[in-house]
């Protein structure tokens, strides 16, 4: 099977294509003009085009399903070359605002949530992806293809930057090598030019890998799916917590280099009568003491077959206000895409069950 052209950093392509300035031109076609064939690369000589055709695959993953939410978010289901599927979501964070004179007052802001693996080893009990077990890691090209596909499908201009969150299906730090390479390709100035500060890795807390990532000093942002403040509940929600407990995660985060203007995000999935009480809030404050932290409370998004329940809004607000009053930055995540199965794995599940 040919290797995907999206698997390579610019330096790697420079090694493979001679003269090396051709690599920059190819990168330009792929990432600024979203070329779908080598044929359309007008400034590339015929013999090099033939070489590219012969040795590289330029096809992006196929979009097999798309759900558009009333809030503008779009959920994608992609088919990989071996027929497996993964999801990604385009979140419209801010809509375009047009002034009275017709000019653009504020342009739209996008965040794309991308997948790292088909399935997942972590086994979170609240997650649909976990139900199918682990199948395989995504290749570098499959990481890249999610963003190029979404930019192309929505005609997002090449100079329009977006944020990337590695938070879809799978655990990015369990696909470490490919994930790191994807971060580098995304931030390539001659390519998509998505600054590393706009890229956030969301991890379920593999502390040894958090430490390793910190040592690489890539300049990306960190988000931790903490969800609980004691090991007993956390191990119930995230079985991998038995191997990497809360203390080890907090220790690793303390060593992680955080940009001066940024904070480490702690995701806290609020489940009714499980972790929505003020005693948990107190423990959380203690735990995050000494960390430049921000807490993001997430409503548990129920799906068929779960016994967990969505918390009451008043309890969420109470929890949030309690943290804020005690000096901790805390937001409640808007449930974007609530009407389009936005929790990871839900679209894939629907497709497999034949629901549309
Ligand atoms: S929530 Fe994320 S880390 Fe946990 S099982 Fe699902 S995909 Fe894996």
């Amino acid at each position: 099977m040919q290797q995907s052209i999206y698997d390579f950093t610019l330096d790697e392509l420079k090694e493979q294509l001679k003269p090396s300035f051709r690599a920059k031109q190819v990168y330009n076609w792929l990432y600024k003009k979203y070329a779908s064939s080598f044929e359309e690369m007008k400034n590339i000589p015929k013999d090099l085009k033939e070489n590219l055709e012969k040795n590289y695959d330029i096809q992006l993953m196929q979009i097999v399903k798309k759900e558009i939410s009333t809030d503008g978010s779009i959920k994608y289901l992609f088919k990989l070359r071996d027929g497996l599927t993964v999801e990604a979501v385009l979140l419209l964070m801010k809509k375009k605002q047009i002034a009275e004179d017709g000019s653009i007052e504020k342009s739209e802001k996008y965040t794309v949530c991308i997948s790292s693996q088909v399935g997942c080893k972590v086994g979170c009990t609240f997650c649909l992806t976990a139900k199918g077990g682990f199948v395989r890691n995504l290749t570098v090209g499959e990481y890249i293809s999610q963003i190029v596909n979404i930019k192309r499908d929505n005609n997002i201009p090449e100079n329009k930057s977006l944020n990337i969150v590695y938070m879809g299906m799978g655990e990015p730090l369990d696909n470490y090598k490919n994930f790191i390479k994807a971060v580098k390709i995304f931030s390539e100035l001659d390519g998509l030019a998505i600054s590393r500060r706009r890229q956030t890795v969301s991890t379920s807390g593999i502390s040894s890998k958090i430490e390793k990532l910190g040592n690489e000093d890539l300049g990306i942002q960190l988000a931790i799916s903490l969800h609980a403040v004691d090991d007993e509940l956390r191990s119930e929600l995230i079985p991998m917590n038995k191997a990497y407990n809360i203390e080890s995660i907090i220790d690793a985060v303390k060593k992680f280099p955080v940009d001066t203007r940024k904070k480490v995000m702690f995701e806290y999935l609020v489940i009714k009568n499980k972790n929505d009480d003020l005693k948990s809030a107190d423990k959380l404050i203690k735990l995050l003491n000494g960390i430049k932290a921000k807490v993001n409370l997430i409503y548990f998004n129920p799906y068929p077959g779960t016994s967990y329940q969505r918390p009451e809004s008043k309890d969420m607000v109470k929890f949030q206000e309690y943290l804020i009053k005690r000096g901790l930055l805390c937001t409640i995540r808007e449930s974007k895409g609530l009407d389009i199965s936005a929790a990871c794995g839900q679209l894939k599940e629907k497709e497999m069950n034949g629901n549309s």
Side-chain angles (χ1 to χ4, degrees), residues 332-348:
I332 298 178
R333 193 208 280 175
E334 278 180 70
S335 294
K336 284 196 176 291
L338 198 64
D339 54 329
I340 56 159
S341 340
C344 65
Q346 289 191 10
L347 185 64
K348 180 168 170 154

Side-chain angles (χ1 to χ4, degrees), residues 120 122-124 126-127 129-130 168-170 204 344:
C120 186
V122 180
C124 303
F126 52 82
C127 169
T129 300
M169 300 167 76
S204 56
C344 65

Side-chain angles (χ1 to χ4, degrees), residues 129-143:
T129 300
K131 285 208 309 192
F134 173 72
V135 183
R136 73 162 170 89
N137 282 328
L138 291 196
T139 63
V140 176
E142 287 165 347
Y143 266 111

Side-chain angles (χ1 to χ4, degrees), residues 235-303:
S235 297
E236 188 197 320
L237 297 172
I238 309 174
M240 205 193 55
N241 188 67
K242 291 183 192 113
Y244 304 102
N245 66 11
I246 296 177
E247 193 188 345
S248 74
I249 297 169
I250 297 294
D251 281 352
V253 171
K254 282 184 176 161
K255 291 180 204 146
F256 192 87
V258 184
D259 189 292
T260 41
R261 286 162 295 173
K262 300 282 181 179
K263 293 184 187 300
V264 177
M265 173 79 87
F266 286 85
E267 308 279 358
Y268 193 89
L269 183 70
V270 188
I271 303 173
K272 191 176 175 178
N273 300 333
K274 274 274 171 197
N275 61 359
D276 59 350
D277 56 309
L278 295 184
K279 238 171 128 182
S280 298
D282 262 333
K283 281 191 186 169
L284 186 56
I285 294 164
K286 235 191 215 154
L287 211 56
L288 303 185
N289 187 25
I291 298 176
K292 276 174 55 181
K294 180 178 166 184
V295 175
N296 195 24
L297 303 178
I298 307 166
Y299 279 95
F300 176 68
N301 201 8
Y303 53 85

